[in-house]
Structures are given as structure tokens and as C-alpha cells.
Amino acid sequence: NNYLSRLGATSESLNALIGKTSAWFFAQPMWRRCLIVLILCFGGTVGLLVLIFHKKILEVMINSSAHWAKMRGGRLIMFALVFTVGFPPLIGFSALSTLTGMIYGFPYGWPLLASASVTGSLCSFVVFRYFLIERAQGFVKTNRNFAALSAIMREDKRLTLLILVRLCPLPYSLSNGALAAIPDISVMRYFLASLITSPKLLIHIFVGSKLKDIGETDESSTQLIDILSILITGLAATATTYIIYVKMQAKLQEFELTHPSDGAGSFDLYDQLEAGN
């Protein structure tokens, strides 16, 4: 009975999620729906090609990483790329992080990745705080999580909370811009939180280095160990991130009970805060 009740609850949650996703999709303008479908089709095609030609793709990546490691100014180019994707709405941070691990190995690629990530995040934060503040506020107004986090961190100014936020699976570049809209986060606090959480980048470096090891060896036992190490690392990181994410979501839901959205469904919490409510 307990199993059936849990299965039923899971099914109801899944149906509710599908219903919400469907309602959100059909509420979008036609051009945006077409764009979403195209992106999904493109992603599915890329995924299928990766499954079919994964050995060839891995071989090309390994050869490219070997040339990059020997290339003059290669570290500077990688630093510039990681630094640049810290500015929203750019993407590609995870891919570049894994590529850094493939090129420079574990843990030797971490100082490069961490320094580029921390300085890129900090510069993005400063630019959006002092020069593009209206754009940063726009990120907050259009995202319920960022809006609620904005309100929570105005009440709780501890560095620990900001560290947890930096560990959460929020969009990398978008979070740099959105958090700049919160006046109570000083530049120094943001720098310290980014610096303290930078060891999490070792996961990307480790996975990248193991992917290279898999492509460079023909021994099945060695490949199996490398694959298992990647899976274990990924599961451990996912579990940790999930725990942090669940705790942050609980805090967000608790806050939203006292700061509900309006009838139109938009979340105007940031405007309420600006008005002093």
C-alpha cells in the first residue's frame, strides 16, 4: 500500500509537471514556441550524432586538446574564453571547464579554470552592478527564483547564504548578472563567495581528464575504472547539489507564502521591495 501510494504521488507530481510545462509552452508567443521546437530538435539531433559517432568525436577532442596544450598562448586563450562566458547571456561554461580538464589534466587545470571563473564572475558582477543595473534588475524580475533570493538575501546578509547560492545549479552567467541587482551583496562578499566555492570546479577538471584517459587507452579494465570514477564523481556532485538545491527551494517556498505573485501570474516581488514593502 505504501509503495502504491508513493507511486501514485509520483505519478500525480509528474502529471502536474507535464501540465504546467504544457500550459507554459502554449502561453508563449508563436515565434518563441517555434524557436523552442527548433532548439529541441537541434539538441536531439546533436545527441543522436554523439551517440553514433562518440568514438570519433572523442578522438578529435583528444587530438585537439593535445595540440592546445602545446600551443603558444593556449592558457591565455582558455582564460579569455572562460572569463568571457561569465557575462550573461553567454553559455558554454561547463563545456569549457571540461575541456580545460582534458587539455591540462587533473588537478593542474584547476588554477587556470578557477582564476578565470572567479575574475570573470567578479567583472560581470561589477559591470552589471554599476553600468547595466537596469538589465540586472530585469533578470531578477523575470525569474521567480532570483526574485525570491533577492528578497531573502536582503533579510539574511550572511556570507554562508551567498556561498550556498553560488553552489546552487543556477545558470552560471545569468546568476552573475542577476545577483548584481541585489544592493546588499557587496563586491567583496561576492568575490569571497566565488573564491570559496571555486574548488567545486575540480569536478569538471576531473571528468575532463578522465574522458581523455578513456580515449587514450585500449584496455577495457582501465576504461571501465575511468568510466566508474566519472559516474561516482558525477553522482556525488549531483547528490550534493540536489541537497543544496532542495534546501534553497524550501526557503524560497517559505518566503513565497508571505510574498505571493499577483493574479496575472507575474512575480513582482522585486518591485514590492523597491517600493519598501
Side-chain angles (χ1 to χ4, degrees):
N1 290 334
N2 289 335
Y3 174 77
L4 290 176
S5 62
R6 289 178 182 177
L7 185 62
T10 303
S11 178
E12 290 179 4
S13 300
L14 182 60
N15 290 333
L17 178 61
I18 294 173
K20 288 181 179 179
T21 304
S22 178
W24 174 85
F25 176 78
F26 287 106
Q28 304 303 308
M30 179 59 71
W31 69 268
R32 187 172 292 178
R33 277 184 277 169
C34 292
L35 180 61
I36 292 172
V37 171
L38 287 174
I39 291 173
L40 290 176
C41 291
F42 176 77
T45 303
V46 171
L48 184 61
L49 291 174
V50 169
L51 286 175
I52 297 173
F53 302 106
H54 64 279
K55 289 186 177 179
K56 185 65 176 179
I57 293 172
L58 189 58
E59 182 182 343
V60 171
M61 292 178 66
I62 291 172
N63 292 334
S64 299
S65 65
H67 289 303
W68 195 313
K70 300 174 183 177
M71 182 171 57
R72 187 174 182 180
R75 288 181 176 272
L76 183 59
I77 295 174
M78 180 59 71
F79 183 96
L81 290 173
V82 175
F83 179 93
T84 302
V85 296
F87 291 79
L90 298 178
I91 59 174
F93 176 75
S94 295
L96 287 173
S97 300
T98 305
L99 183 59
T100 303
M102 292 187 69
I103 296 172
Y104 301 108
F106 178 86
Y108 309 107
W110 178 79
L112 171 63
L113 180 61
S115 59
S117 173
V118 172
T119 54
S121 297
L122 181 64
C123 289
S124 175
F125 182 86
V126 170
V127 168
F128 277 85
R129 165 63 61 84
Y130 296 108
F131 301 102
L132 298 174
I133 186 62
E134 292 183 0
R135 182 64 175 165
Q137 291 171 353
F139 292 146
V140 175
K141 291 179 181 179
T142 56
N143 188 294
R144 293 178 67 86
N145 282 343
F146 283 133
L149 284 173
S150 172
I152 291 171
M153 283 189 283
R154 288 185 177 209
E155 296 183 357
D156 189 343
K157 299 179 174 60
R158 291 178 300 169
L159 178 63
T160 307
L161 181 60
L162 183 56
I163 290 173
L164 289 176
V165 172
R166 294 298 288 164
L167 289 172
C168 272
L170 298 170
Y172 174 71
S173 64
L174 186 61
S175 63
N176 292 331
L179 293 175
I182 306 174
D184 298 277
I185 301 179
S186 66
V187 174
M188 181 54 67
R189 281 181 64 207
Y190 193 77
F191 168 72
L192 289 175
S194 300
L195 184 64
I196 291 171
T197 56
S198 62
K200 70 178 182 179
L201 300 175
L202 283 167
I203 295 172
H204 295 278
I205 299 296
F206 179 79
V207 171
S209 66
K210 287 301 176 183
L211 283 174
K212 186 176 182 180
D213 291 343
I214 291 172
E216 288 181 334
T217 181
D218 294 326
E219 296 183 11
S220 299
S221 58
T222 304
Q223 289 182 339
L224 180 61
I225 292 173
D226 288 335
I227 292 172
L228 287 175
S229 65
I230 291 175
L231 290 176
I232 292 171
T233 303
L235 289 173
T238 301
T240 305
T241 303
Y242 177 75
I243 293 171
I244 295 171
Y245 182 73
V246 167
K247 289 182 179 295
M248 290 302 301
Q249 284 297 314
K251 198 167 183 63
L252 293 177
Q253 291 175 6
E254 177 186 344
F255 198 88
E256 287 186 11
L257 290 176
T258 57
H259 299 77
S261 61
D262 58 23
S266 64
F267 198 61
D268 60 343
L269 174 59
Y270 192 88
D271 293 328
Q272 295 177 24
L273 290 167
E274 289 299 302
N277 297 331

